[in-house]
Amino acid sequence: MVRIHRTYQNEFSCDGRFEFIRLTKDGKTWINEAEIPVNQVRQRVAALMEDRAERVVYVVVDSELSYGQFAEFLGKIVGATDDLHVIVISGEIRREFEKPRVFIQSVDGI
């Protein structure tokens, strides 16, 4: 269940964007396609979720990371904002996420 806190003073958006946060085995941190310094994860997540009606992030960590590394990273995300729902992507879904993607842009708008 996602709780939505709405007051008349605050307007919330629900633009349908998904936020994927990733920690790679070499210590690099990504939010969607943007690489960010790991020490800015909490602030960036807080800014992204500031006006969201649904505060949900998807976390993907490389399978080679230790549990301690994962727990430390998760701790930086969880406290970013009130009512943040963190979904950890693992197993088969993570393997699909890690596959290289090819994006083809159509020249005729299709």
Side-chain angles (χ1 to χ4, degrees), residues 25-86:
K25 62 184 173 188
D26 57 0
K28 293 183 180 180
T29 306
W30 302 80
I31 295 181
N32 296 326
E33 291 84 28
E35 184 177 359
I36 64 165
V38 70
N39 63 350
Q40 292 184 10
V41 169
R42 184 182 298 252
Q43 298 92 327
R44 297 279 183 100
V45 170
L48 285 169
M49 297 295 128
E50 184 176 12
D51 63 349
R52 293 282 183 97
E54 293 182 352
R55 295 178 174 171
V56 178
V57 295
Y58 297 87
V59 175
V60 182
V61 295
D62 283 353
S63 58
E64 294 86 10
L65 292 175
S66 70
Y67 179 77
Q69 291 169 307
F70 165 73
E72 181 181 345
F73 183 65
L74 196 59
K76 293 177 183 181
I77 297 167
V78 170
T81 188
D82 292 337
D83 293 323
L84 180 65
H85 297 270
V86 178

Side-chain angles (χ1 to χ4, degrees), residues 95-103:
R95 286 189 291 278
E96 283 298 316
F97 184 84
E98 291 172 343
K99 287 183 179 177
R101 303 282 184 235
V102 176
F103 296 98

